[in-house]
Every structure is written in structure tokens, then in C-alpha cells.
Amino acid sequence: MPDKTDFYDRLNIGTGASEEAIKKAYRLAVRKTHPDVNRNEGATQLFLDIQEAYKILSDPNRKGAYDDGRGSHETPPAVHTAIEFSQDTLIRLDEPQIVYSMIDIVSTLAEKDTTDLPLNISFVLDNSTSMNGARMDILKSATKEIIQELNEDDIISVISFNDRAEVLLSSQSHPPIAHVESSINSLFAEGGTEIFQGLEAAFEEIRKNSPFDYVNHIILITDGHTYGDEENCITLARSAAKLDIGISGLGIGIEWNDEFIDKLCALTGGQCMFIQELNQVKDFLKHSITSLKEAYSRHVSLEIIPAPGVNLLSAFRILPEALPLPHQEEFSLGILKKDKPHRILFEFLVNPVPEEIDQAIIASGEFILKRKPRDYTIPFTLNRPIVAELEEPQPPPEEIFRAISHLTFYRLQEKAQKDIASGNPGTAFQRLINLSSHLMAKGEESLAKIAMHEADYIKSHNNFSPTGKKQLKYGTIRLMLPDKT
Amino acid sequence: MITCKVCNNQEFHGVFFCGECGSQLVLTDDKNVDTFIYPSQVRGLELDISNTIPKKLLENKTFILYCLDQEEMINIPDQVEFTIGRFVDGQVITPDVDLNLYEAFDKGVSRLHATIRINPEKNKIHVIDLGSANGSSVNGYEIPANSEVPLDHGDVLTLGKFRMKVILPKELK
């Protein structure tokens, strides 16, 4: 018997049923399922479920609340959303004010529930000249190893790219080991780095199978800077996001363009990682595959529309992997994992609200959850009561305060980078000194030392050190994860 | 708009941290704060400061740190938040208050030992130990690192072995 979570389904009626019809349906259902009459296994639970449903649906108030929460006329997916604001109540001001909102979506299913969704993965490997030597060897062995760990129904393809792309392993499930070995072993380093070539080939391989049946993901590993084809890559990432294809990137060393790869990942709901030690390649691949395996939904996206008079200033993904999101109103968040939330922090600028209105509408939005057999929409509204004065000052809620505090660190290093770009190393120096002392005060000693070291470096070189710049950026991003320890 | 008291940058209402220098702009009721109650009987050292601190100075200051061993007032900047430690040559981050003048090295004060945060509106003062090597204590009770601990008139704040008395001039008769 299918699990009936929806109260209307339990009583076998439509959502438009009248009070009378609900009563009738209830009596009928009770007659069928009463433990005195029905001695089948599970009947008691069924009877209790019907009682629960009727208790709510027969009470107009509770029915109303239930209908609101239910949102649509479909069985709700096993998903919860939660919203938190930087202030419970806004104060009426004659000037604009900032409101932060943190939105969570989490699948309530435990990891062991529901079966795993099969993956459709494409590995895109940089084989430009700079990869020669240890990098190439490690990349080959890590890729071969990770392919062995995939399941039989997962689909795999492997692409290599330098100035052009080559399909080493065309899209297939369960490829013979010998075939995997020989195609990956044939890889050798030569030529330049044109990421678009690689991404496009991977995109085509993934699209050979219906994206609706799989968790679709492109994993890009590179050590270089792509030139001239960034725009094409971004366009491709946008198309990928529309087809529920995520892109994750791993940057090796210091040459690669972190801003660019971050953007590809942010557009598609993937993750971006920076490694200095080669032995971390395998960890990254393992981590990526493991987390894709935990998918409850192959894709979740979030659309947000600020109310009139409200501007969306920024969006930051905090969970499952911290990443600044591009400035837009629709966000592709990648897979939704079982039992692990997505958390997005929004920063809104709210303009003064007319006197007669005591509720500030900030934005409305919806999550779009893609699951087989169909998609679900979970709408939400962001609004806050607005008062002339507060009786007592409200301390900011802890979680959101913590997130914003760490976001401030990220922003400080970002601003220091801008200072350098606009020729103000002195300002950048001071900013990093401030950042370092704030980090120290938070007990983030190693990152504080990196910031201090960079400040020192800027003093003598008028620029960041290539390693320190990335360390500081990904270090401050990593702080956002609540369970970073 | 609100003005950052450290760098004078203007931010919109509702912002928690200054975007320019990263200083905190709002009050947080740190949960830890209320759990640290230091018995008043150990607040000791009744002390006559009338000879060492000019009356005029007392009237102008909201907060004074008094070095107990050297018997003199410590120069503190007119800021709502400042760090205390020891200046060391070649060090990039320097503390706002340098205790070298008071033989701090011998007393085990770290380079960046603690932060003092003053909240003039609520009339509250907190100390935060910045994970110093030798720790800090208030009235003889060791305080945890990286947490705000309130300071009151008459408290003895010890950084390493360096002892200071907290004086709030308006509490003096």
C-alpha cells in the first residue's frame, strides 16, 4: 500500500470537497478500516491515519492552515523549508534598510530511505602541457580508481581537452575495466587550455541520455587559465543549468582562474575546490561522487522576486557547499540531498514603507524540486511586521549572525582584491590587517596568519601572492560552513 | 544610516558589520555573558587612586584601566573597541594598547592578548581573550578564550600575570 501522507488522499476526496462531503468520506473510510471490522495487517495504522486527517480537515481553522501549508493540490514531497530573518520586526525608517534572510530547504527523508538515483557523470580532464608529469599521473590514477567505484547503472564519460577536446570514453554504463584503463592511459600532456572545448564535448555526452532519469554532473579538473572562451563557457553553463546538469570544478596549483570556475559552479549548483597538494585530487573526486550519490532530487532551483521597493543586493549559498551566487533572480542549486539542507543567505535593501502599511513585503519566491515522475513547486513569501519603535532591542538570531559575520570576512578579502586592482595597495594592506585581527578574535588562527602574511606581502610587492590570494578566498568561504570542523 | 565607530564608514540600518573594516555594528547578547558571574568578594584591592589620577581626567573618561603593580593609569585610546598586547618589532598586527611600557614581557602578556569592547549606550564593558598563550582572568577566575566576559567597576583583570583594575569613574563617589 502506498504511503498516504496527504490528508485528502487518506479520505479519498478532492481538495475542493465540502464540509458535508468530508464528513461522508470520513464515515465511509471508518466503516472500512475500523479494527473491529477490518482485521488485515496495517488496518489499525490506516484507521489512525484517517482519524488524524479528519481531525484537521473537519476543523475550518486547522483545515485552512493545512491547505496553506500544502500549497498545491498535489501530494507534497518530503521536504521542509525554513526561513529566518536578521530582524524579527522591522523598525519604520524614512531611509532604506538592510534585511538578511536565510532560507533552508531540506529533504526530511533519512539517507537510507528511497533508493539512490543513478548518476550520469562526465569527467573533463585538462591535458595541456602544464599538466605534464606528476599532475597527469595522479589525475589518471585517481580517475581510473573512481570509475571503478561507480555503480552498474551509472553512466560515465571521460573527455580530455587542451586546444581541442577528445572523447576518451563515450557515454556508457559499466564500461569494461580494460577499456577504461587503455583510454585513460592514452592521455598525455600537450597543447594549451581551452576549457570550452572540454565542456562542450562533456555536455554532448551527458545529453545522450535523458537528463530526467539521472543526476547529471560534469566534473572539470584543470590547472590552467582559459583565454577568450570564457563567455562561451558561461553560456554553456546556463544551458546546462536549464537541463539540470551541474558543473563542479577542481583547480590544481595557482595558475587557474578561480573567479571563472567559481562562476561556472555557482551557475549550475556545483562546487569549486582549490587544492595545493596533488594527493587531494582523489579526495575531491570521491567527495563529489559521494555527495551526488546522496541525491533525493536530481535538481532543485530557487526563484526569488523582490517586492516593489526592494532590491536583492546579494545571494550566498552557505550549504551544502559555500559559494557566492551570481547576481540574478533564479538560482540553480544542484541536487537536493537526503537529510542535508540547502541554505541560501539573501541580502535585501528595503526602501521606506508607507505609514499605513504595517507589514513589509520583502520578496516572494519558490523552490522548484525536480523528481521523477514530476516536478514540485514549493512557494514562500518573505515578509516582516513593521513598527514605529521597538520596546526592547532584539539581538540578532545566532545562526544568521554567524553566517553574516563570516560573510564579512569573505567580503573583506574580496574588497582587498579590488583595492589591488584599482591600484590601492595601502588600503588593501589595512583591510587585511583588520581581517586578520577579526579572524584572530574568532579563534581562526591559521587563516588570520595567512591574512597577516598577505598584508606583509602586499607591503613589499603591492600585490597578493598567487597562493595566498586563493588560500584566503577559499579559506574565508570555508568558514561559512556551520560544521567546518 | 549608521556610522562605524572604528572607521567612520556609513552603512544602512540593519547591517551587522562594517563593510570597510569589518567591525561589529550591532549589540549581541552573547549567551555566555550571563553565565559568568564573578563573586564580588574576590573583587578586591580597595585602592586609593586620588593621588595617582588627576580629577579632571576622571571626569572625562568613562573607563580606566589601572596598572596595579606600577600604580599608574594605562593609556587607552578613545575607541569603542581596542586590542591589548605587546608591540614586537617586525610584527604586522600591533595592539592598540602596548603594555611593554609596564614590563609586560616578564608578566607573560601575548602580542595580541585581549580585546576590550565598550558599549557606551548600554554602559557595558567586555573583555575577550584572543587565545593568548598564558590566558586571562577576571577577579582570579580564568576566562575562556574568544568569549565576551563582562567587566565591572572594581574588577581585577589579569593578562598572564599582568594585573589591572577596572575603574568606571562615574561609580566613584
Side-chain angles (χ1 to χ4, degrees):
Chain A
M1 166 139 328
D3 175 34
K4 285 187 176 177
T5 47
D6 187 73
F7 291 167
Y8 290 99
D9 283 356
R10 286 184 191 171
L11 295 181
N12 205 11
I13 46 171
T15 48
S18 67
E19 226 178 292
E20 200 50 48
I22 292 173
K23 213 177 263 177
K24 229 181 203 169
Y26 167 67
R27 284 204 202 103
L28 188 73
V30 167
R31 242 178 279 152
K32 273 195 204 158
T33 57
H34 196 283
D36 288 350
V37 187
N38 188 334
R39 296 186 185 260
N40 292 337
E41 210 190 308
T44 312
Q45 186 54 48
L46 216 54
F47 179 74
L48 292 174
D49 286 350
I50 285 162
Q51 297 301 327
E52 187 195 8
Y54 183 67
K55 214 161 108 189
I56 303 293
L57 296 183
S58 59
D59 177 337
N61 283 336
R62 296 169 81 176
K63 177 178 183 293
Y66 178 71
D67 287 348
D68 286 350
R70 203 168 158 276
S72 62
H73 302 288
E74 295 162 357
T75 312
V79 162
H80 260 319
T81 56
I83 300 173
E84 198 174 67
F85 294 91
S86 53
Q87 291 150 275
D88 260 350
T89 313
L90 303 190
I91 303 173
R92 191 180 302 284
L93 296 173
D94 50 13
E95 59 179 57
Q97 57 183 307
I98 296 281
V99 178
Y100 299 94
S101 182
M102 201 160 74
I103 307 180
D104 282 22
I105 179 167
V106 58
S107 154
T108 50
L109 285 185
E111 243 168 77
K112 53 181 169 39
D113 292 357
T114 69
T115 47
D116 288 340
L117 300 169
L119 309 184
N120 182 3
I121 296 276
S122 187
F123 296 96
V124 181
L125 314 176
D126 186 343
N127 68 329
S128 60
T129 315
S130 55
M131 288 292 288
N132 203 7
R135 286 185 181 173
M136 197 40 111
D137 294 343
I138 296 255
L139 184 57
K140 281 183 184 176
S141 66
T143 313
K144 282 187 282 191
E145 211 179 311
I146 211 78
I147 289 177
Q148 299 309 321
E149 290 176 18
L150 291 170
N151 292 348
E152 285 197 9
D153 50 355
D154 294 334
I155 294 180
I156 307 142
S157 55
V158 181
I159 317 289
S160 71
F161 73 97
N162 39 43
D163 309 301
R164 52 191 197 83
E166 193 182 333
V167 179
L168 295 180
L169 190 70
S170 66
S171 176
Q172 56 192 286
S173 58
H174 205 49
I177 297 171
H179 185 35
V180 172
E181 294 263 339
S182 67
S183 42
I184 291 181
N185 285 342
S186 73
L187 201 56
F188 70 99
E190 62 167 350
T193 305
E194 284 186 39
I195 291 179
F196 180 68
Q197 302 286 340
L199 284 185
E200 194 188 29
F203 187 67
E204 290 310 321
E205 287 303 315
I206 287 210
R207 283 206 334 181
K208 284 184 181 168
N209 294 283
S210 159
F212 306 113
D213 297 330
Y214 296 92
V215 170
N216 310 286
H217 215 84
I218 295 173
I219 296 178
L220 168 70
I221 302 182
T222 182
D223 71 343
H225 215 297
T226 194
Y227 289 102
D229 59 353
E230 286 98 336
E231 272 316 306
N232 288 341
C233 292
I234 298 290
T235 313
L236 185 123
R238 287 189 203 279
S239 324
K242 286 206 179 88
L243 288 168
D244 312 336
I245 302 171
I247 302 176
S248 284
L250 175 70
I252 303 176
I254 55 175
E255 294 295 323
W256 61 287
N257 183 347
D258 51 305
E259 275 162 53
F260 167 67
I261 306 285
D262 271 358
K263 198 165 176 195
L264 292 181
C265 300
L267 280 168
T268 58
Q271 66 162 129
C272 185
M273 224 172 105
F274 159 51
I275 60 160
Q276 288 170 286
E277 302 291 330
L278 277 177
N279 55 20
Q280 288 173 291
V281 172
K282 215 177 89 193
D283 297 339
F284 168 79
L285 288 176
K286 256 210 161 98
H287 175 77
S288 306
I289 298 293
T290 318
S291 70
L292 290 170
K293 277 276 166 214
E294 290 171 38
Y296 163 72
S297 153
R298 71 171 191 277
H299 194 82
V300 59
S301 59
L302 168 61
E303 207 179 307
I304 193 145
I305 302 156
V310 176
N311 302 330
L312 175 58
L313 297 187
S314 71
F316 210 103
R317 186 177 82 193
I318 293 175
L319 289 173
E321 312 281 346
L323 198 64
L325 293 176
H327 199 89
Q328 53 194 39
E329 289 179 356
E330 200 184 330
F331 305 95
S332 181
L333 303 179
I335 58 165
L336 179 66
K337 295 186 199 177
K338 295 167 199 162
D339 206 20
K340 290 192 181 135
H342 270 283
R343 171 173 293 172
I344 317 287
L345 179 68
F346 289 106
E347 182 185 17
F348 296 101
L349 184 68
V350 180
N351 280 304
V353 173
E355 285 286 338
E356 64 277 12
I357 294 172
D358 57 3
Q359 180 95 315
I361 311 282
I362 298 166
S364 60
E366 57 187 29
F367 285 103
I368 300 138
L369 192 67
K370 304 220 170 143
R371 289 205 77 208
K372 235 182 153 180
R374 65 163 179 273
D375 302 347
Y376 298 98
T377 307
I378 304 152
F380 59 86
T381 329
L382 306 180
N383 52 27
R384 289 287 85 192
I386 190 158
V387 297
E389 222 174 309
L390 284 173
E391 283 172 17
E392 264 187 49
Q394 329 160 305
E398 224 170 297
E399 268 300 308
I400 201 162
F401 184 79
R402 208 185 146 276
I404 295 167
S405 141
H406 291 151
L407 180 61
T408 309
F409 297 151
Y410 172 79
R411 292 259 171 87
L412 282 180
Q413 65 81 31
E414 193 181 47
K415 277 194 177 162
Q417 287 196 30
K418 282 187 187 146
D419 293 335
I420 293 289
S422 53
N424 296 315
T427 326
F429 169 81
Q430 190 51 49
R431 236 190 269 283
L432 292 185
I433 294 288
N434 287 338
L435 174 60
S436 179
S437 76
H438 292 308
L439 285 168
M440 194 76 96
K442 283 272 190 293
E444 296 295 341
E445 208 173 316
S446 59
L447 204 53
K449 277 188 183 142
I450 293 175
M452 208 190 294
H453 181 264
E454 278 311 290
D456 222 15
Y457 192 91
I458 286 174
K459 213 173 184 179
S460 46
H461 295 74
N462 288 335
N463 202 344
F464 279 92
S465 74
T467 319
K469 185 176 164 185
K470 288 191 171 74
Q471 280 178 328
L472 211 49
K473 173 176 172 184
Y474 290 103
T476 49
I477 285 184
R478 209 168 32 243
L479 284 186
M480 310 233 186
L481 295 173
D483 53 351
K484 66 184 162 55
T485 49
Chain B
M1 304 290 277
I2 38 182
T3 307
C4 170
K5 285 169 182 156
V6 177
C7 74
N8 284 328
N9 170 48
Q10 298 260 312
E11 293 282 0
F12 286 113
H13 274 275
V15 172
F16 289 164
F17 297 92
C18 171
E20 287 299 308
C21 72
S23 304
Q24 191 172 322
L25 303 172
V26 290
L27 312 175
T28 42
D29 275 354
D30 201 309
K31 276 190 180 160
N32 298 330
V33 170
D34 292 334
T35 57
F36 295 109
I37 300 163
Y38 298 94
S40 56
Q41 56 265 35
V42 299
R43 259 187 213 163
L45 302 166
E46 284 321 312
L47 165 87
D48 183 15
I49 50 166
S50 53
N51 296 327
T52 43
I53 306 178
K55 226 180 170 171
K56 229 185 188 164
L57 238 170
L58 279 179
E59 284 163 6
N60 291 333
K61 296 262 183 192
T62 52
F63 170 64
I64 286 171
L65 279 176
Y66 188 84
C67 171
L68 285 168
D69 295 316
Q70 311 265 324
E71 297 194 358
E72 60 179 307
M73 194 179 90
I74 293 166
N75 257 327
I76 54 176
D78 204 12
Q79 284 166 217
V80 289
E81 191 174 324
F82 56 87
T83 50
I84 306 183
R86 272 189 310 115
F87 178 78
V88 177
D89 236 5
Q91 178 183 339
V92 184
I93 295 195
T94 54
D96 297 318
V97 174
D98 177 15
L99 295 182
N100 270 336
L101 303 167
Y102 314 91
E103 296 173 3
F105 181 78
D106 296 339
K107 300 212 165 109
V109 176
S110 292
R111 297 177 193 192
L112 269 183
H113 199 112
T115 292
I116 302 277
R117 202 172 274 166
I118 302 173
N119 179 347
E121 286 135 51
K122 277 196 163 177
N123 206 10
K124 273 186 182 166
I125 294 162
H126 289 105
V127 60
I128 302 145
D129 179 279
L130 300 175
S132 63
N134 296 319
S136 310
S137 61
V138 174
N139 299 331
Y141 284 73
E142 200 176 311
I143 63 172
N146 305 311
S147 323
E148 282 198 0
V149 173
L151 290 177
D152 212 342
H153 179 63
D155 282 347
V156 174
L157 170 64
T158 313
L159 309 182
K161 287 180 182 164
F162 189 95
R163 299 181 308 147
M164 289 169 284
K165 197 163 173 75
V166 176
I167 298 166
L168 305 178
K170 71 175 187 59
E171 302 281 333
L172 294 167
K173 291 294 167 314

